[in-house]
Amino acid sequence: EPEVTQTPSHQVTQMGQEVILRCVPISNHLYFYWYRQILGQKVEFLVSFYNNEISEKSEIFDDQFSVERPDGSNFTLKIRSTKLEDSAMYFCASRRDRDTYEQYFGPGTRLTVT
Amino acid sequence: GIQVEQSPPDLILQEGANSTLRCNFSDSVNNLQWFHQNPWGQLINLFYIPSGTKQNGRLSATTVATERYSLLYISSSQTTDSGVYFCAGVLLWDYKLSFGAGTTVTVRA
């Protein structure tokens, strides 16, 4: 069964450094998402992406964040200058098309900012 | 208001026991999904269940959309079932998922 994959599984970085989190969505899916979960809290929406542009973003998704689909398979989340409060699990998800609602989640990347 | 509510917040089970987790959702949410977050933090897709009943091994789920609730059943629980179970629904005005706060399940040997 096709699945969403994410790399790395764990990333440790120093405050102020840039990080790129990578995701490979399911190949025939058109809609892509990033979600975040701070330790012990709910999973919360960050951004949605369709047709090579952002469809919607939450208020968390400020100028320090960006997303990109650099080729036909990868979907990346970049944090330009990490803060301590960016430490969280980051989940990528994809959805097949406009008429389907199910989102398929990757296993997540644990980001630790020191 | 809260769009997706889960109960109970915590559940402790003896290995082999059965349990039911509940998810209530508001009118602004539909197309429920259930996830299991394992102790390593990984999120595992369990069910997409907008209505009706589905089964996968020892797990099954039922959604009664007209009454705005969904149930996840764990039968013959095992220690590997431990973790946090989330339900999430699609917000009607867009396609993003709204998650509940989760039920933390601990299965003791």
Side-chain angles (χ1 to χ4, degrees), chain A residues 9 31 33 35 37 40-45 48 56 89 91 95 97-108 110, chain B residues 2 4 30-31 33 35 37 39-45 47-48 54 86 90 93-102:
Chain A
S9 56
Y31 294 81
Y33 303 84
Y35 292 81
Q37 184 191 31
Q41 297 186 21
K42 281 188 192 185
V43 178
E44 53 189 351
F45 167 80
S48 57
E56 188 177 352
M89 285 288 291
F91 297 103
R95 178 167 68 90
D97 56 42
R98 194 185 67 166
D99 298 323
T100 61
Y101 297 94
E102 184 175 8
Q103 292 186 24
Y104 294 78
F105 276 68
R110 182 180 300 281
Chain B
I2 297 175
V4 180
N30 60 15
N31 292 287
Q33 294 186 232
F35 301 89
Q37 186 167 42
W40 297 272
Q42 295 176 324
L43 208 55
I44 297 156
N45 304 271
F47 295 103
Y48 168 68
K54 288 186 178 179
F86 290 101
V90 175
W93 53 85
D94 56 38
Y95 288 87
K96 62 180 184 254
L97 284 175
S98 176
F99 280 76

Side-chain angles (χ1 to χ4, degrees), chain B residues 10-95:
Chain B
D10 299 282
L11 195 56
I12 299 175
L13 301 171
Q14 204 59 38
E15 200 170 26
N18 303 327
S19 65
T20 302
L21 283 58
R22 187 177 178 103
C23 176
N24 293 330
F25 52 99
S26 69
D27 290 345
S28 57
V29 166
N30 60 15
N31 292 287
L32 263 283
Q33 294 186 232
W34 283 96
F35 301 89
H36 175 218
Q37 186 167 42
N38 65 22
W40 297 272
Q42 295 176 324
L43 208 55
I44 297 156
N45 304 271
L46 292 179
F47 295 103
Y48 168 68
I49 185 152
S51 64
T53 298
K54 288 186 178 179
Q55 180 151 10
N56 185 359
R58 294 180 296 99
L59 299 181
S60 63
T62 295
T63 296
V64 183
T66 52
E67 296 186 27
R68 322 303 299 172
Y69 73 87
S70 184
L71 303 173
L72 179 72
Y73 305 98
I74 306 173
S75 65
S76 303
S77 57
Q78 299 177 358
T79 55
T80 51
D81 295 330
S82 295
V84 185
Y85 289 80
F86 290 101
C87 70
V90 175
L91 292 170
L92 294 180
W93 53 85
D94 56 38
Y95 288 87

Side-chain angles (χ1 to χ4, degrees), chain A residues 59-71:
Chain A
E59 55 192 30
I60 303 165
F61 195 90
D62 61 22
D63 291 345
Q64 292 300 311
F65 291 88
S66 62
V67 289
E68 195 178 30
R69 189 154 161 81
D71 52 44

Side-chain angles (χ1 to χ4, degrees), chain A residues 15-96:
Chain A
M15 199 165 52
Q17 295 296 303
E18 173 184 287
V19 294
I20 297 176
L21 309 183
R22 291 185 164 78
C23 168
V24 179
I26 295 172
S27 63
N28 62 346
H29 285 196
L30 300 177
Y31 294 81
F32 313 111
Y33 303 84
W34 283 100
Y35 292 81
R36 181 181 84 172
Q37 184 191 31
I38 293 171
L39 185 65
Q41 297 186 21
K42 281 188 192 185
V43 178
E44 53 189 351
F45 167 80
L46 283 179
V47 66
S48 57
F49 191 85
Y50 167 71
N51 201 25
N52 277 323
E53 58 183 34
I54 290 174
S55 313
E56 188 177 352
K57 56 185 181 180
S58 73
E59 55 192 30
I60 303 165
F61 195 90
D62 61 22
D63 291 345
Q64 292 300 311
F65 291 88
S66 62
V67 289
E68 195 178 30
R69 189 154 161 81
D71 52 44
S73 59
N74 289 285
F75 179 49
T76 62
L77 174 70
K78 184 195 291 186
I79 309 174
R80 255 179 278 282
S81 178
T82 49
K83 306 184 191 71
L84 294 175
E85 55 264 36
D86 293 328
S87 295
M89 285 288 291
Y90 288 82
F91 297 103
C92 171
S94 68
R95 178 167 68 90
R96 192 175 68 198

